[in-house]
Amino acid sequence: MKQDRLIRAFRKGEEWAFRRVYEQFFDPLCLYAVKYLKDGSEAQDVVQDVFAALWLLHDNFDNCHTIRSFLYISVRNRSINLLRRQARTIEKISQMQQKHTPAEEAEMVIEVEVERQLLAAVQNLPSECRRVLMLSIEGRSYQEIGEMLHITTNTVKNHRVRAVKKLREMFRYSRSESELTNRLSAKTEY
Amino acid sequence: MTDELIISDLISKKLTGSISPEEERRLQQWLEDPQHRALYERIRQKEDLGKSFCAYMDIDSQKDFRDTLNRAAITPRKNSFRYALVAAVLLPVLLVSGYFVLRVHGVVDRNPVIAHSTSQARLILASGQVVDLSAEQAPELLAEVDAVIDSRERGCVLSYRNSAGDTVSEGPTAAAPMAEPELHTLVVPRGVNYNVELSDGTLVYLDADSRLEYPSRFVGDSRTVSVSGRAYFEVSHDTQHPFIVRTSGADIRVFGTEFCVSDNGTQTTTTLIQGSVGVFESRKDVELARLTPGQQAVVSGGHCEVRAVETLYVTAWKDGYFIFNACDIDRIMEELSSWYNIDYVLEDPEVSTHITARIRRYDNIDSVLDILAKTRSVNFRQEGRVITVTK
């Protein structure tokens, strides 16, 4: 329901909704574009252009997943297009030659997106919960974590349970993704 | 692309332990591919997840946000962006590597850059639930109490304006009777300021280290709010419903006007900019003073003193400036400490410089201290978040 409100506001072109999306995705998308472009300022230019396009097309989106797909697809396409254009100038040819395999391309997205989600989720947790969660993501046991933070194993467990409960609420909305069709293909983005 | 994103969702859920059995099965299926497994392990073992988290928090994306809106309008290409762009992308890298260096050598960074930060104001609902107004979910949570965060020229405003009317086609809620007003408390910590627009259209600018208690919608004969710390009010005109500001030491009654209140627990200072206000003894019907524009009433222990002031100095904070008019360094540091969230020590309590200066509030504290050091014979030494004032 809460996502509904965001998307409704987004479609109406309300600035807060756009800002929300921008804040969530700007930095991750820059990191994603850098993987293609190997250049921070170009990457940020591409991402800004993509957000500008998103803002212009705001009434075309009816759920958060299409927005997310649009962002990743557009950043990838624009990055590749930019590389192509640059490849016509000699010095960039070598860069073009190291093409990515589809598997590598998938990895680039997954890495960025997982990190984005974890960071977003973790940001909203109380600090003790956060520390416990980060350590357990790194694969440490309750006991190890307890020793590191000087708290009892039970407290670690409690923090972890609280963290997971909160995270469940946050992640709930993305469950329906599988039922959604991806309305945006690479071609329809502009 | 959708596939990759679905997999990302599954991995995030898996790593945070919030995955469902059904999703777990799908993830395991995907992980059967050794290459996928390798990627998963790489993400999981990423030592620097926690650190990139810190880095993300420090990037100033806000700055570029305006650019994007402008770009959407005209799409100009400017090379001058580039510096900012490079900085924003490099910053996380620098922070992350910096963190590593420090961690390896076991050194604690003693002098972090002290900049004022924005938006960690919190709203406490009647239920006791605390909403971090800068959090992603804030707008959705606020929707439930009919409030929105509005970005305006002056920064973010938490607005209850529409809760009185405007119930346009919001589905079943439109038909439902209006909810009972709830008591909300906006808590603004040190280092931040925040604005609220109440249901009657009254605008309240809350300074750092302040709190405001108010109903989500005004009902009844009077409009009553309570404040501690410092607030600037632009009260909407409504003679039928007097606006009352309660502080620890006084009640202030107004009928549509602009004024500034600061209350530090023992002393309430009311400065009138426009209109007319009455200062009353706390919770009593005894009028201590009736102010005209340009007057300031200081109430302390039931005793009230009225004087004429230059309101410019009293309201500068609202417009984003520190203005000090022949101020003691003590007062100045007090002001800085609530804005930059620092502590300070006066090395020589006898330092009796009187400083006059007008300084932008949003700069980081270094520039502010630089300017202050130039004005007269004060100097500063910084250790962590403690500033020592020397001669």
Side-chain angles (χ1 to χ4, degrees), chain A:
Chain A
M1 291 309 106
K2 288 165 183 174
Q3 291 291 325
D4 282 357
R5 192 184 135 80
L6 178 70
I7 201 76
R8 258 207 316 271
F10 190 91
R11 289 190 73 156
K12 274 194 247 159
E14 284 176 27
E15 198 182 302
W16 71 264
F18 182 67
R19 180 187 285 269
R20 197 71 43 204
V21 174
Y22 183 91
E23 284 167 357
Q24 277 186 48
F25 285 98
F26 188 84
D27 302 335
L29 288 173
C30 286
L31 297 179
Y32 180 50
V34 164
K35 288 175 191 260
Y36 284 100
L37 298 168
K38 319 272 184 243
D39 178 306
S41 66
E42 282 175 3
Q44 209 155 353
D45 242 8
V46 162
V47 175
Q48 288 232 332
D49 283 344
V50 168
F51 272 107
L54 179 76
W55 183 233
L56 290 174
L57 296 172
H58 59 81
D59 48 359
N60 289 305
F61 296 92
D62 57 7
N63 69 61
C64 292
H65 304 295
T66 52
I67 293 179
R68 184 172 69 166
S69 304
F70 173 85
L71 289 173
Y72 277 104
I73 291 170
S74 307
V75 167
R76 185 190 59 196
N77 291 353
R78 282 179 190 244
S79 299
I80 291 173
N81 286 343
L82 183 60
L83 283 180
R84 264 192 211 125
R85 274 206 304 279
Q86 289 171 341
R88 288 190 205 118
T89 68
I90 296 157
E91 67 269 19
K92 287 273 182 172
I93 285 177
S94 60
Q95 202 176 8
M96 257 318 267
Q97 279 161 351
Q98 38 167 286
K99 267 209 177 146
H100 302 281
T101 66
E104 282 168 351
E105 294 213 321
E107 288 189 5
M108 285 154 69
V109 178
I110 292 171
E111 223 171 318
V112 169
E113 177 62 12
V114 169
E115 189 156 305
R116 182 191 73 79
Q117 290 194 21
L118 291 182
L119 294 172
V122 163
Q123 258 182 52
N124 292 304
L125 295 174
S127 62
E128 277 292 272
C129 279
R130 192 160 64 207
R131 241 167 288 150
V132 168
L133 189 76
M134 292 319 296
L135 290 169
S136 79
I137 287 175
E138 285 174 20
R140 308 207 186 248
S141 70
Y142 287 165
Q143 204 187 338
E144 276 179 284
I145 298 173
E147 279 161 16
M148 293 173 80
L149 301 179
H150 307 292
I151 51 181
T152 66
T153 315
N154 248 339
T155 315
V156 174
K157 229 181 265 178
N158 287 342
H159 281 313
R160 164 108 189 141
V161 169
R162 261 176 70 205
V164 167
K165 213 174 129 198
K166 290 210 154 184
L167 291 169
R168 279 229 176 89
E169 287 164 18
M170 280 178 226
F171 280 121
R172 199 166 30 196
Y173 74 89
S174 45
R175 192 168 292 166
S176 58
E177 165 99 24
S178 51
E179 294 139 33
L180 300 163
T181 48
N182 180 10
R183 300 191 326 137
L184 293 156
S185 73
K187 277 176 217 147
T188 58
E189 70 161 87
Y190 300 108

Side-chain angles (χ1 to χ4, degrees), chain B residues 7 39 63 112 140 181 189 225 227 239 247 294 305 317 336 342 357 383:
Chain B
I7 295 299
L39 171 65
K63 195 169 53 218
E140 291 97 69
V225 301
V227 70
T239 42
T247 67
E305 203 182 292
W317 63 271
L336 296 184
I342 50 133
E383 281 156 276

